[in-house]
Amino acid sequence: MMTRKLDVRSLAAPEPLERILAELDILPRDARLEVTHWREPLLLYPLLDERGWQHSTVHDEKNGIYLISIRRPAT
Amino acid sequence: MNLAALSLENAPRFWTPVRFFLTVPLFGILGAAILLLDGGQLLQSRWHPAALAVTHAFTLGYIAMGMLGALLQMLPVLMGVTVPGLQRAAACLHLLLTAGTLCLVSAFLTDAAPLFGAAVLLLVPALILFALAVVVAIRNIGRTRGAAGAAQLAAFALLLTVALGGYLAAAYTFDAVPLQRGLTNYHAAWGFAGWIFILIIGVSAQVIPMFLTTPPYPDGFNRRLVYFLMLLLVAASLLPVAGAGRAVTAVTALLMAVYALVTLFLLLRRRRKRFDITDWFWRLGMVCLLAGGGVLLFAAFAANGPAADAQMLAGVLLLPGFALSLINGMLYKIVPFLVWLNLRMPVLKGQVPPGTRIYAPSIHEVIAERPMQGQFLLHACGLLLLLLSLTAPPLWTRPAAVLMLASNLLLLVNLLQAVQLYRIHSAGRRAA
């Protein structure tokens, strides 16, 4: 599966949410989006759930970042 | 973490916090107007009736008004606290706080006992009930770390501040209640170091990295600072040891300096270098906190106790300099964010009916940049002249008051610009 990376650490709220959703709109069907964020995007999760996107988050404590992996639901 | 509770379904309606935010500059205008009419006499002593009137216009009408509005938004959305009947309770709280503060300010200016009585009746039950509701609601969700924990401790400090203030106001009202001026220091300490400073420390850990793209505060820094401050306040209030108050003041002043330096360091390391007016308000606030802490430290070790002018200097640096600057700066983030949230989120969630003409602004379009910069200049120059007024009152006080008045008028106009944008586009959607 192809992975597209998006680093939103330098963006101020609410730009990370807007950028992630914009990126998902053009994400190829067989790709997944890996987002690097400095905090957990709590406002994003309900929007992803409503749209049926699958997502998981890993906290990299050593580097102080969150890695959020998002992909379309299996059909 | 309870993610369901963090859903935006729990967010209060737009007007719930915004009515508090729009009232903030009105009390800034009132405080500046009193300073203008007084012409500088009030800067001679913290016990001057007009000084007490301006202090309470700022602490209740400006600072508490802004902080309660922010808490009403943050408690459900960021902290997962659900409060039944929040909209109606918030409307009542806003009305009581506004009317009560006006009564208290008028009472100090006119020395009218019935007005002190009215202020107690309007303010004390409302603020104590609010503070208790926050303490209990946060305890019920079981999250006592981070911003929620700081909000809980700040609410506890608000409880004590209001109880002490209520007693002092009752002493002005009823001859049977003895006026114990010594309690004023505890009232001020719990109000500033407890309620205002602890909440700012807790909330800044979330909002500064989020809105200003700074690196996060060092792990556990804000939590430890909050607990340490609380411990100091309790110790100063309960320990009947001579000199304890002086030692606690000195340590508190050091903690202020540490917090200010760490925050300034983070602000200098913002990941995005785009000009941001909130950044400048926070930098100004932190410089004032650093200076205010220095003055307190100096005064704590003065041979004959703190001099009256040092107390006034610390007061100007910590209230208009630190607290007003921070709240002013945060209003320029929170209000545009709320406009964005309430116009954009229904679109993202697919809740807008088909065929509706949609306009959902970017957060940077909500308030024009130039007027915000102009307002910052007015605020900073007004503050500088107010500090100069402490050395030569007749010369600088009225120009300082005029600048503060103009600054708050422009703040009101800028916030109304954001609200007008929301009204136009939300009305357009309702009509569709």
Side-chain angles (χ1 to χ4, degrees):
Chain A
M1 181 179 271
M2 187 175 76
T3 299
R4 287 174 79 149
K5 291 183 182 289
L6 177 66
D7 188 341
V8 294
R9 282 177 294 172
S10 64
L11 300 179
E15 290 166 298
L17 184 126
E18 294 272 22
R19 281 290 302 277
I20 294 167
L21 292 175
E23 200 66 30
L24 290 177
D25 280 345
I26 54 166
L27 191 71
R29 186 152 290 280
D30 58 345
R32 73 186 173 106
L33 181 67
E34 193 174 283
V35 181
T36 307
H37 205 325
W38 71 268
R39 70 195 301 268
E40 205 168 6
L42 296 171
L43 296 185
L44 174 71
Y45 295 149
L47 295 173
L48 294 178
D49 292 337
E50 275 178 23
R51 293 163 186 219
W53 291 87
Q54 294 180 346
H55 57 92
S56 60
T57 302
V58 175
H59 184 200
D60 178 351
E61 285 192 38
K62 190 180 158 205
N63 295 307
I65 55 171
Y66 288 86
L67 295 167
I68 304 114
S69 177
I70 307 168
R71 61 188 173 91
R72 289 180 195 276
T75 49
Chain B
M1 187 174 287
N2 184 0
L3 288 182
L6 286 160
S7 155
L8 285 172
E9 302 303 326
N10 291 327
R13 287 187 202 130
F14 179 74
W15 291 106
T16 301
V18 167
R19 64 162 65 88
F20 286 80
F21 299 146
L22 287 180
T23 315
V24 165
L26 296 177
F27 278 100
I29 291 168
L30 178 66
I34 297 170
L35 187 66
L36 184 65
L37 295 173
D38 175 84
Q41 291 302 309
L42 64 85
L43 294 171
Q44 302 298 318
S45 161
R46 62 184 284 212
W47 302 109
H48 192 289
L52 292 167
V54 174
T55 303
H56 286 86
F58 285 161
T59 51
L60 284 167
Y62 197 113
I63 300 169
M65 191 70 75
M67 286 163 59
L68 292 186
L71 270 179
L72 287 167
Q73 178 68 27
M74 292 182 76
L75 283 170
V77 177
L78 285 180
M79 301 175 197
V81 176
T82 47
V83 183
L86 178 73
Q87 325 285 349
R88 205 170 298 168
C92 287
L93 179 66
H94 174 259
L95 194 68
L96 291 169
L97 181 60
T98 305
T101 307
L102 286 173
C103 282
L104 189 62
V105 170
S106 312
F108 280 122
L109 291 174
T110 59
D111 197 22
L115 282 173
F116 279 112
V120 171
L121 284 177
L122 291 166
L123 290 170
V124 174
L127 290 175
I128 285 188
L129 273 177
F130 174 81
L132 274 175
V134 172
V135 170
V136 172
I138 293 176
R139 197 199 62 184
N140 286 348
I141 58 162
R143 290 178 62 208
T144 50
R145 288 172 72 110
Q152 193 181 35
L153 291 178
F156 176 72
L158 175 65
L159 204 77
L160 290 180
T161 309
V162 173
L164 289 165
Y167 176 85
L168 289 164
Y172 278 100
T173 317
F174 305 108
D175 292 337
V177 182
L179 178 61
Q180 298 182 22
R181 285 211 157 165
L183 284 181
T184 312
N185 286 341
Y186 292 103
H187 170 65
W190 279 98
F192 181 77
W195 159 236
I196 298 173
F197 193 31
I198 282 181
L199 191 63
I200 285 174
I201 295 169
V203 169
S204 64
Q206 289 225 358
V207 298
I208 292 307
M210 189 165 104
F211 284 122
L212 292 174
T213 65
T214 69
Y217 281 88
D219 199 25
F221 172 76
N222 301 60
R223 193 176 67 246
R224 288 191 188 104
L225 205 56
V226 161
Y227 287 148
F228 199 16
L229 265 173
M230 202 61 182
L231 202 68
L232 284 172
L233 281 166
V234 171
S237 304
L238 298 181
L239 285 180
V241 181
R246 195 175 278 203
V248 166
T249 305
V251 179
T252 307
L254 282 174
L255 293 182
M256 287 176 189
V258 169
Y259 172 74
L261 285 172
V262 170
T263 307
L264 278 172
F265 177 72
L266 293 178
L267 290 172
L268 290 172
R269 293 183 62 212
R270 288 176 59 208
R271 292 190 175 102
R272 197 182 205 187
K273 299 300 178 195
R274 182 182 190 277
F275 179 84
D276 192 309
I277 200 66
T278 303
D279 181 16
W280 284 92
F281 273 106
W282 274 66
R283 285 182 195 206
L284 176 64
M286 289 307 147
V287 170
C288 288
L289 181 65
L290 196 59
V295 173
L296 280 182
L297 193 63
F298 175 76
F301 291 106
N304 302 317
D309 50 355
Q311 288 177 342
M312 286 305 289
L313 180 58
V316 170
L317 286 167
L318 296 178
L319 290 177
F322 166 66
L324 265 61
S325 300
L326 260 57
I327 287 172
N328 194 150
M330 280 319 295
L331 287 178
Y332 283 142
K333 284 294 169 204
I334 300 177
V335 174
F337 185 78
L338 289 175
V339 171
W340 173 87
L341 191 72
N342 284 275
L343 289 179
R344 183 77 174 125
M345 268 297 164
V347 178
L348 293 176
K349 288 163 80 74
Q351 292 169 340
V352 178
T356 308
R357 199 167 61 87
I358 294 171
Y359 173 72
S362 140
I363 196 164
H364 303 296
E365 297 166 5
V366 176
I367 304 178
E369 193 79 46
R370 278 290 172 87
M372 289 194 291
Q373 292 174 6
Q375 197 254 317
F376 172 78
L377 281 177
L378 288 170
H379 172 76
C381 294
L383 188 62
L384 191 67
L385 291 190
L386 190 61
L387 290 167
L388 284 174
S389 307
L390 293 171
T391 56
L395 193 61
W396 299 111
T397 311
R398 286 214 160 91
V402 169
L403 286 178
M404 288 170 71
L405 200 78
S407 160
N408 280 287
L409 269 172
L410 190 51
L411 173 61
L412 182 65
V413 170
N414 289 344
L415 296 180
L416 284 173
Q417 186 191 339
V419 168
Q420 184 65 4
L421 190 81
Y422 169 77
R423 283 168 68 111
I424 291 169
H425 295 289
S426 61
R429 282 184 199 173
R430 277 198 302 274

